[in-house]
Amino acid sequence: MFEALPGAGPALNSDGSTDFVLFRKDRIDCTLGADQLREHRLTPTSKTRRVVATCCNTPMFLEFTGGHWLTLYRQRLDPRNRPPVQMRVMTRYRQAGVTIADGLPSYAGHSGKFMLKLMGAWAAMAFRTPEIDYVKGALDGHGT
């Protein structure tokens, strides 16, 4: 849906997958263009929101509002500083006929290592869940 918006940047890879980078919410901030960010929720009560930059209709990140992490589309990061893909999770949802043959660890769901890192980051944050308050309004009427 987001890729179909006029001028939108890519959200999916050619195989239908999406590369994400997770950051602790207390270690990320929007320093430019926050006034262009709009949220989209599948329903008005959805705890997950997808955030799009309306200036170019590009998907920027996903946020589980009750979580301590922010999920950025990896393509939005500067290629010089973009971390490598470390693993594939949720592969049970990949498109039919897609073969994963790049040697990366792949998991049908979330791996134990992934969950331990997520919990370790939360513990390092003293179990806080910071709010991302610089996203304004809704993209399509489903928002806050």
Side-chain angles (χ1 to χ4, degrees):
M1 179 180 112
F2 295 130
E3 286 184 333
L5 294 171
L12 303 175
N13 296 323
S14 61
D15 65 1
S17 65
T18 309
D19 293 346
F20 290 118
V21 179
L22 275 62
F23 286 96
R24 289 173 35 174
K25 285 182 180 177
D26 64 345
R27 292 194 174 170
I28 194 162
D29 194 14
C30 183
T31 59
L32 184 65
D35 60 322
Q36 299 295 317
L37 298 176
R38 298 293 180 265
E39 69 177 32
H40 170 80
R41 297 178 192 244
L42 296 178
T43 68
T45 58
S46 293
K47 298 219 183 262
T48 300
R49 63 183 181 167
R50 285 127 178 102
V51 176
V52 173
T54 59
C55 55
C56 57
N57 287 326
T58 300
M60 301 302 289
F61 63 85
L62 286 80
E63 179 196 15
F64 173 62
T65 56
H68 62 281
W69 68 93
L70 199 63
T71 307
L72 277 75
Y73 285 89
R74 187 171 168 269
Q75 301 99 310
R76 305 303 167 252
L77 301 174
D78 184 327
R80 297 169 294 182
N81 299 320
R82 192 179 293 162
V85 175
Q86 296 178 3
M87 69 178 73
R88 299 190 186 288
V89 297
M90 308 309 289
T91 59
R92 69 175 166 247
Y93 297 114
R94 70 182 180 268
Q95 293 178 355
V98 170
T99 302
I100 301 171
D102 57 13
L104 287 171
S106 296
Y107 304 94
H110 293 297
S111 74
K113 181 178 178 181
F114 175 85
M115 295 307 292
L116 284 173
K117 281 187 170 190
L118 205 58
M119 293 306 293
W122 196 27
M125 295 171 64
F127 300 103
R128 291 179 298 113
T129 305
E131 286 189 33
I132 301 296
D133 60 0
Y134 46 80
V135 177
K136 307 297 181 219
L139 182 65
D140 65 351
H142 291 293
T144 55

mmCIF file of all heavy atoms in Angstrom, residues 5-46:
data_model
loop_
_atom_site.group_PDB
_atom_site.id
_atom_site.type_symbol
_atom_site.label_atom_id
_atom_site.label_comp_id
_atom_site.label_asym_id
_atom_site.label_seq_id
_atom_site.Cartn_x
_atom_site.Cartn_y
_atom_site.Cartn_z
ATOM 1 N N LEU A 5 1.837 4.789 -3.098
ATOM 2 C CA LEU A 5 1.639 6.232 -2.969
ATOM 3 C C LEU A 5 2.521 6.966 -3.984
ATOM 4 O O LEU A 5 3.628 6.512 -4.282
ATOM 5 C CB LEU A 5 1.984 6.686 -1.543
ATOM 6 C CG LEU A 5 1.088 6.163 -0.431
ATOM 7 C CD1 LEU A 5 1.672 6.511 0.932
ATOM 8 C CD2 LEU A 5 -0.320 6.718 -0.565
ATOM 9 N N PRO A 6 2.085 8.092 -4.516
ATOM 10 C CA PRO A 6 2.873 8.833 -5.509
ATOM 11 C C PRO A 6 4.264 9.201 -4.981
ATOM 12 O O PRO A 6 4.392 9.789 -3.916
ATOM 13 C CB PRO A 6 2.049 10.092 -5.761
ATOM 14 C CG PRO A 6 0.667 9.755 -5.319
ATOM 15 C CD PRO A 6 0.809 8.748 -4.218
ATOM 16 N N GLY A 7 5.301 8.807 -5.713
ATOM 17 C CA GLY A 7 6.678 9.147 -5.361
ATOM 18 C C GLY A 7 7.265 8.368 -4.209
ATOM 19 O O GLY A 7 8.366 8.672 -3.743
ATOM 20 N N ALA A 8 6.564 7.362 -3.711
ATOM 21 C CA ALA A 8 7.007 6.625 -2.523
ATOM 22 C C ALA A 8 8.291 5.858 -2.770
ATOM 23 O O ALA A 8 8.541 5.357 -3.863
ATOM 24 C CB ALA A 8 5.921 5.652 -2.085
ATOM 25 N N GLY A 9 9.109 5.766 -1.723
ATOM 26 C CA GLY A 9 10.300 4.932 -1.752
ATOM 27 C C GLY A 9 9.914 3.484 -1.532
ATOM 28 O O GLY A 9 8.805 3.179 -1.087
ATOM 29 N N PRO A 10 10.814 2.568 -1.834
ATOM 30 C CA PRO A 10 10.506 1.150 -1.679
ATOM 31 C C PRO A 10 10.336 0.750 -0.212
ATOM 32 O O PRO A 10 10.989 1.290 0.668
ATOM 33 C CB PRO A 10 11.706 0.447 -2.303
ATOM 34 C CG PRO A 10 12.817 1.442 -2.210
ATOM 35 C CD PRO A 10 12.175 2.796 -2.309
ATOM 36 N N ALA A 11 9.453 -0.191 0.007
ATOM 37 C CA ALA A 11 9.267 -0.770 1.337
ATOM 38 C C ALA A 11 9.683 -2.235 1.332
ATOM 39 O O ALA A 11 10.122 -2.763 2.346
ATOM 40 C CB ALA A 11 7.814 -0.646 1.779
ATOM 41 N N LEU A 12 9.544 -2.889 0.175
ATOM 42 C CA LEU A 12 9.840 -4.311 0.060
ATOM 43 C C LEU A 12 11.061 -4.557 -0.819
ATOM 44 O O LEU A 12 11.330 -3.796 -1.750
ATOM 45 C CB LEU A 12 8.642 -5.050 -0.550
ATOM 46 C CG LEU A 12 7.310 -4.930 0.164
ATOM 47 C CD1 LEU A 12 6.218 -5.616 -0.643
ATOM 48 C CD2 LEU A 12 7.409 -5.514 1.559
ATOM 49 N N ASN A 13 11.758 -5.629 -0.537
ATOM 50 C CA ASN A 13 12.823 -6.102 -1.408
ATOM 51 C C ASN A 13 12.192 -6.838 -2.582
ATOM 52 O O ASN A 13 10.997 -7.129 -2.579
ATOM 53 C CB ASN A 13 13.761 -7.043 -0.645
ATOM 54 C CG ASN A 13 14.472 -6.337 0.483
ATOM 55 O OD1 ASN A 13 14.854 -5.181 0.362
ATOM 56 N ND2 ASN A 13 14.644 -7.029 1.597
ATOM 57 N N SER A 14 12.988 -7.192 -3.569
ATOM 58 C CA SER A 14 12.464 -7.862 -4.765
ATOM 59 C C SER A 14 11.825 -9.204 -4.442
ATOM 60 O O SER A 14 10.954 -9.670 -5.173
ATOM 61 C CB SER A 14 13.575 -8.041 -5.799
ATOM 62 O OG SER A 14 14.613 -8.843 -5.259
ATOM 63 N N ASP A 15 12.204 -9.824 -3.318
ATOM 64 C CA ASP A 15 11.615 -11.108 -2.937
ATOM 65 C C ASP A 15 10.409 -10.951 -2.014
ATOM 66 O O ASP A 15 9.874 -11.920 -1.498
ATOM 67 C CB ASP A 15 12.655 -12.022 -2.305
ATOM 68 C CG ASP A 15 13.200 -11.497 -0.982
ATOM 69 O OD1 ASP A 15 12.760 -10.419 -0.508
ATOM 70 O OD2 ASP A 15 14.079 -12.159 -0.402
ATOM 71 N N GLY A 16 9.975 -9.719 -1.794
ATOM 72 C CA GLY A 16 8.816 -9.470 -0.946
ATOM 73 C C GLY A 16 9.148 -9.298 0.529
ATOM 74 O O GLY A 16 8.264 -9.036 1.334
ATOM 75 N N SER A 17 10.418 -9.427 0.892
ATOM 76 C CA SER A 17 10.819 -9.265 2.295
ATOM 77 C C SER A 17 11.074 -7.788 2.600
ATOM 78 O O SER A 17 11.120 -6.953 1.699
ATOM 79 C CB SER A 17 12.080 -10.085 2.583
ATOM 80 O OG SER A 17 13.179 -9.571 1.840
ATOM 81 N N THR A 18 11.237 -7.485 3.864
ATOM 82 C CA THR A 18 11.505 -6.123 4.309
ATOM 83 C C THR A 18 12.681 -6.165 5.277
ATOM 84 O O THR A 18 12.662 -6.913 6.246
ATOM 85 C CB THR A 18 10.282 -5.533 5.032
ATOM 86 O OG1 THR A 18 9.132 -5.697 4.219
ATOM 87 C CG2 THR A 18 10.474 -4.067 5.334
ATOM 88 N N ASP A 19 13.689 -5.338 5.007
ATOM 89 C CA ASP A 19 14.836 -5.235 5.915
ATOM 90 C C ASP A 19 14.562 -4.143 6.938
ATOM 91 O O ASP A 19 14.267 -3.003 6.574
ATOM 92 C CB ASP A 19 16.115 -4.885 5.146
ATOM 93 C CG ASP A 19 16.576 -5.983 4.213
ATOM 94 O OD1 ASP A 19 16.080 -7.117 4.335
ATOM 95 O OD2 ASP A 19 17.441 -5.702 3.371
ATOM 96 N N PHE A 20 14.656 -4.506 8.204
ATOM 97 C CA PHE A 20 14.451 -3.560 9.295
ATOM 98 C C PHE A 20 15.686 -3.513 10.181
ATOM 99 O O PHE A 20 16.453 -4.468 10.252
ATOM 100 C CB PHE A 20 13.272 -3.981 10.191
ATOM 101 C CG PHE A 20 11.926 -3.859 9.539
ATOM 102 C CD1 PHE A 20 11.142 -4.975 9.340
ATOM 103 C CD2 PHE A 20 11.430 -2.623 9.165
ATOM 104 C CE1 PHE A 20 9.886 -4.874 8.764
ATOM 105 C CE2 PHE A 20 10.166 -2.502 8.588
ATOM 106 C CZ PHE A 20 9.400 -3.640 8.394
ATOM 107 N N VAL A 21 15.849 -2.393 10.872
ATOM 108 C CA VAL A 21 16.867 -2.229 11.896
ATOM 109 C C VAL A 21 16.138 -1.758 13.142
ATOM 110 O O VAL A 21 15.349 -0.813 13.086
ATOM 111 C CB VAL A 21 17.933 -1.191 11.480
ATOM 112 C CG1 VAL A 21 18.965 -1.011 12.570
ATOM 113 C CG2 VAL A 21 18.600 -1.594 10.171
ATOM 114 N N LEU A 22 16.370 -2.439 14.259
ATOM 115 C CA LEU A 22 15.720 -2.059 15.504
ATOM 116 C C LEU A 22 16.646 -1.191 16.338
ATOM 117 O O LEU A 22 17.833 -1.488 16.450
ATOM 118 C CB LEU A 22 15.330 -3.301 16.311
ATOM 119 C CG LEU A 22 13.992 -3.940 15.958
ATOM 120 C CD1 LEU A 22 13.969 -4.441 14.544
ATOM 121 C CD2 LEU A 22 13.649 -5.030 16.924
ATOM 122 N N PHE A 23 16.082 -0.119 16.892
ATOM 123 C CA PHE A 23 16.818 0.780 17.777
ATOM 124 C C PHE A 23 16.029 0.949 19.065
ATOM 125 O O PHE A 23 14.797 0.974 19.040
ATOM 126 C CB PHE A 23 16.982 2.169 17.148
ATOM 127 C CG PHE A 23 17.988 2.240 16.049
ATOM 128 C CD1 PHE A 23 17.587 2.146 14.732
ATOM 129 C CD2 PHE A 23 19.335 2.411 16.325
ATOM 130 C CE1 PHE A 23 18.507 2.224 13.704
ATOM 131 C CE2 PHE A 23 20.265 2.486 15.316
ATOM 132 C CZ PHE A 23 19.853 2.392 13.998
ATOM 133 N N ARG A 24 16.755 1.132 20.152
ATOM 134 C CA ARG A 24 16.107 1.514 21.395
ATOM 135 C C ARG A 24 15.483 2.888 21.207
ATOM 136 O O ARG A 24 16.089 3.774 20.609
ATOM 137 C CB ARG A 24 17.127 1.573 22.529
ATOM 138 C CG ARG A 24 17.632 0.251 22.979
ATOM 139 C CD ARG A 24 18.765 0.315 23.978
ATOM 140 N NE ARG A 24 18.712 1.417 24.925
ATOM 141 C CZ ARG A 24 19.562 1.561 25.939
ATOM 142 N NH1 ARG A 24 20.515 0.664 26.145
ATOM 143 N NH2 ARG A 24 19.467 2.579 26.748
ATOM 144 N N LYS A 25 14.276 3.083 21.717
ATOM 145 C CA LYS A 25 13.607 4.377 21.562
ATOM 146 C C LYS A 25 14.366 5.515 22.238
ATOM 147 O O LYS A 25 14.277 6.657 21.795
ATOM 148 C CB LYS A 25 12.181 4.314 22.116
ATOM 149 C CG LYS A 25 11.221 3.568 21.233
ATOM 150 C CD LYS A 25 9.823 3.606 21.833
ATOM 151 C CE LYS A 25 8.826 2.872 20.995
ATOM 152 N NZ LYS A 25 7.486 2.852 21.625
ATOM 153 N N ASP A 26 15.112 5.215 23.283
ATOM 154 C CA ASP A 26 15.846 6.278 23.971
ATOM 155 C C ASP A 26 17.136 6.653 23.249
ATOM 156 O O ASP A 26 17.851 7.549 23.676
ATOM 157 C CB ASP A 26 16.131 5.896 25.420
ATOM 158 C CG ASP A 26 17.053 4.696 25.569
ATOM 159 O OD1 ASP A 26 17.269 3.949 24.585
ATOM 160 O OD2 ASP A 26 17.565 4.483 26.687
ATOM 161 N N ARG A 27 17.432 6.007 22.129
ATOM 162 C CA ARG A 27 18.653 6.305 21.385
ATOM 163 C C ARG A 27 18.381 6.838 19.985
ATOM 164 O O ARG A 27 19.273 6.874 19.152
ATOM 165 C CB ARG A 27 19.518 5.059 21.286
ATOM 166 C CG ARG A 27 20.082 4.652 22.626
ATOM 167 C CD ARG A 27 21.177 3.664 22.459
ATOM 168 N NE ARG A 27 21.804 3.395 23.739
ATOM 169 C CZ ARG A 27 22.665 2.438 23.932
ATOM 170 N NH1 ARG A 27 23.025 1.653 22.938
ATOM 171 N NH2 ARG A 27 23.205 2.260 25.122
ATOM 172 N N ILE A 28 17.168 7.252 19.734
ATOM 173 C CA ILE A 28 16.826 7.744 18.398
ATOM 174 C C ILE A 28 15.916 8.945 18.531
ATOM 175 O O ILE A 28 15.110 9.042 19.456
ATOM 176 C CB ILE A 28 16.183 6.625 17.551
ATOM 177 C CG1 ILE A 28 16.159 7.033 16.093
ATOM 178 C CG2 ILE A 28 14.828 6.235 18.071
ATOM 179 C CD1 ILE A 28 15.967 5.868 15.150
ATOM 180 N N ASP A 29 16.087 9.883 17.597
ATOM 181 C CA ASP A 29 15.257 11.075 17.581
ATOM 182 C C ASP A 29 15.179 11.562 16.140
ATOM 183 O O ASP A 29 16.055 11.265 15.332
ATOM 184 C CB ASP A 29 15.860 12.165 18.469
ATOM 185 C CG ASP A 29 14.892 13.291 18.765
ATOM 186 O OD1 ASP A 29 13.685 13.139 18.522
ATOM 187 O OD2 ASP A 29 15.347 14.340 19.254
ATOM 188 N N CYS A 30 14.154 12.276 15.826
ATOM 189 C CA CYS A 30 14.001 12.864 14.500
ATOM 190 C C CYS A 30 14.502 14.298 14.591
ATOM 191 O O CYS A 30 13.922 15.115 15.302
ATOM 192 C CB CYS A 30 12.540 12.822 14.059
ATOM 193 S SG CYS A 30 12.312 13.464 12.398
ATOM 194 N N THR A 31 15.594 14.608 13.893
ATOM 195 C CA THR A 31 16.186 15.941 13.980
ATOM 196 C C THR A 31 15.770 16.856 12.835
ATOM 197 O O THR A 31 16.003 18.048 12.891
ATOM 198 C CB THR A 31 17.721 15.844 14.006
ATOM 199 O OG1 THR A 31 18.160 15.176 12.816
ATOM 200 C CG2 THR A 31 18.203 15.085 15.231
ATOM 201 N N LEU A 32 15.165 16.281 11.792
ATOM 202 C CA LEU A 32 14.753 17.070 10.642
ATOM 203 C C LEU A 32 13.538 16.421 9.983
ATOM 204 O O LEU A 32 13.525 15.212 9.777
ATOM 205 C CB LEU A 32 15.909 17.146 9.628
ATOM 206 C CG LEU A 32 15.714 18.004 8.387
ATOM 207 C CD1 LEU A 32 15.578 19.472 8.777
ATOM 208 C CD2 LEU A 32 16.907 17.829 7.456
ATOM 209 N N GLY A 33 12.528 17.201 9.715
ATOM 210 C CA GLY A 33 11.364 16.695 8.987
ATOM 211 C C GLY A 33 10.281 16.056 9.826
ATOM 212 O O GLY A 33 9.364 15.435 9.281
ATOM 213 N N ALA A 34 10.338 16.205 11.135
ATOM 214 C CA ALA A 34 9.315 15.586 11.989
ATOM 215 C C ALA A 34 7.916 16.088 11.639
ATOM 216 O O ALA A 34 6.941 15.344 11.758
ATOM 217 C CB ALA A 34 9.611 15.853 13.464
ATOM 218 N N ASP A 35 7.828 17.320 11.162
ATOM 219 C CA ASP A 35 6.517 17.866 10.807
ATOM 220 C C ASP A 35 5.907 17.173 9.590
ATOM 221 O O ASP A 35 4.721 17.334 9.312
ATOM 222 C CB ASP A 35 6.624 19.369 10.556
ATOM 223 C CG ASP A 35 7.578 19.699 9.418
ATOM 224 O OD1 ASP A 35 8.619 19.032 9.286
ATOM 225 O OD2 ASP A 35 7.279 20.641 8.662
ATOM 226 N N GLN A 36 6.689 16.370 8.890
ATOM 227 C CA GLN A 36 6.210 15.645 7.718
ATOM 228 C C GLN A 36 5.800 14.207 8.041
ATOM 229 O O GLN A 36 5.319 13.494 7.163
ATOM 230 C CB GLN A 36 7.300 15.619 6.637
ATOM 231 C CG GLN A 36 7.717 16.990 6.155
ATOM 232 C CD GLN A 36 6.597 17.713 5.436
ATOM 233 O OE1 GLN A 36 5.884 17.123 4.639
ATOM 234 N NE2 GLN A 36 6.425 18.994 5.724
ATOM 235 N N LEU A 37 6.022 13.748 9.253
ATOM 236 C CA LEU A 37 5.736 12.363 9.615
ATOM 237 C C LEU A 37 4.267 12.191 10.002
ATOM 238 O O LEU A 37 3.744 12.940 10.828
ATOM 239 C CB LEU A 37 6.632 11.914 10.768
ATOM 240 C CG LEU A 37 8.129 11.918 10.477
ATOM 241 C CD1 LEU A 37 8.922 11.537 11.727
ATOM 242 C CD2 LEU A 37 8.472 10.995 9.321
ATOM 243 N N ARG A 38 3.631 11.178 9.399
ATOM 244 C CA ARG A 38 2.235 10.864 9.695
ATOM 245 C C ARG A 38 2.111 9.374 9.960
ATOM 246 O O ARG A 38 2.794 8.560 9.341
ATOM 247 C CB ARG A 38 1.313 11.244 8.528
ATOM 248 C CG ARG A 38 1.294 12.714 8.178
ATOM 249 C CD ARG A 38 0.663 13.551 9.293
ATOM 250 N NE ARG A 38 0.638 14.961 8.971
ATOM 251 C CZ ARG A 38 1.564 15.843 9.340
ATOM 252 N NH1 ARG A 38 2.610 15.465 10.040
ATOM 253 N NH2 ARG A 38 1.450 17.106 9.005
ATOM 254 N N GLU A 39 1.219 9.028 10.835
ATOM 255 C CA GLU A 39 1.041 7.617 11.184
ATOM 256 C C GLU A 39 -0.112 6.986 10.431
ATOM 257 O O GLU A 39 -1.027 7.669 9.976
ATOM 258 C CB GLU A 39 0.820 7.469 12.685
ATOM 259 C CG GLU A 39 -0.501 8.006 13.159
ATOM 260 C CD GLU A 39 -0.725 7.771 14.638
ATOM 261 O OE1 GLU A 39 0.248 7.765 15.413
ATOM 262 O OE2 GLU A 39 -1.895 7.592 15.013
ATOM 263 N N HIS A 40 -0.034 5.687 10.320
ATOM 264 C CA HIS A 40 -1.111 4.877 9.754
ATOM 265 C C HIS A 40 -1.286 3.682 10.682
ATOM 266 O O HIS A 40 -0.316 3.002 11.014
ATOM 267 C CB HIS A 40 -0.749 4.388 8.349
ATOM 268 C CG HIS A 40 -1.706 3.368 7.833
ATOM 269 N ND1 HIS A 40 -2.929 3.711 7.294
ATOM 270 C CD2 HIS A 40 -1.648 2.026 7.800
ATOM 271 C CE1 HIS A 40 -3.560 2.610 6.956
ATOM 272 N NE2 HIS A 40 -2.809 1.574 7.240
ATOM 273 N N ARG A 41 -2.512 3.451 11.110
ATOM 274 C CA ARG A 41 -2.837 2.283 11.926
ATOM 275 C C ARG A 41 -3.873 1.464 11.179
ATOM 276 O O ARG A 41 -4.739 2.021 10.504
ATOM 277 C CB ARG A 41 -3.372 2.706 13.291
ATOM 278 C CG ARG A 41 -2.342 3.469 14.121
ATOM 279 C CD ARG A 41 -2.951 3.901 15.450
ATOM 280 N NE ARG A 41 -2.104 4.850 16.128
ATOM 281 C CZ ARG A 41 -1.514 4.630 17.306
ATOM 282 N NH1 ARG A 41 -1.695 3.486 17.936
ATOM 283 N NH2 ARG A 41 -0.759 5.549 17.861
ATOM 284 N N LEU A 42 -3.786 0.165 11.302
ATOM 285 C CA LEU A 42 -4.758 -0.694 10.609
ATOM 286 C C LEU A 42 -6.162 -0.470 11.125
ATOM 287 O O LEU A 42 -7.133 -0.529 10.372
ATOM 288 C CB LEU A 42 -4.348 -2.160 10.733
ATOM 289 C CG LEU A 42 -3.015 -2.513 10.058
ATOM 290 C CD1 LEU A 42 -2.685 -3.979 10.282
ATOM 291 C CD2 LEU A 42 -3.052 -2.183 8.583
ATOM 292 N N THR A 43 -6.270 -0.209 12.419
ATOM 293 C CA THR A 43 -7.546 0.180 13.035
ATOM 294 C C THR A 43 -7.237 1.301 14.025
ATOM 295 O O THR A 43 -6.088 1.438 14.454
ATOM 296 C CB THR A 43 -8.213 -0.992 13.798
ATOM 297 O OG1 THR A 43 -7.426 -1.311 14.949
ATOM 298 C CG2 THR A 43 -8.378 -2.216 12.899
ATOM 299 N N PRO A 44 -8.213 2.085 14.424
ATOM 300 C CA PRO A 44 -7.936 3.182 15.359
ATOM 301 C C PRO A 44 -7.330 2.726 16.687
ATOM 302 O O PRO A 44 -6.642 3.503 17.341
ATOM 303 C CB PRO A 44 -9.320 3.814 15.579
ATOM 304 C CG PRO A 44 -10.078 3.485 14.347
ATOM 305 C CD PRO A 44 -9.603 2.116 13.937
ATOM 306 N N THR A 45 -7.542 1.476 17.092
ATOM 307 C CA THR A 45 -7.012 1.001 18.373
ATOM 308 C C THR A 45 -5.742 0.152 18.229
ATOM 309 O O THR A 45 -5.253 -0.377 19.219
ATOM 310 C CB THR A 45 -8.086 0.186 19.118
ATOM 311 O OG1 THR A 45 -8.492 -0.907 18.287
ATOM 312 C CG2 THR A 45 -9.286 1.058 19.468
ATOM 313 N N SER A 46 -5.213 0.039 17.014
ATOM 314 C CA SER A 46 -3.989 -0.749 16.798
ATOM 315 C C SER A 46 -2.839 -0.203 17.632
ATOM 316 O O SER A 46 -2.619 1.002 17.696
ATOM 317 C CB SER A 46 -3.571 -0.711 15.328
ATOM 318 O OG SER A 46 -4.494 -1.366 14.525
#
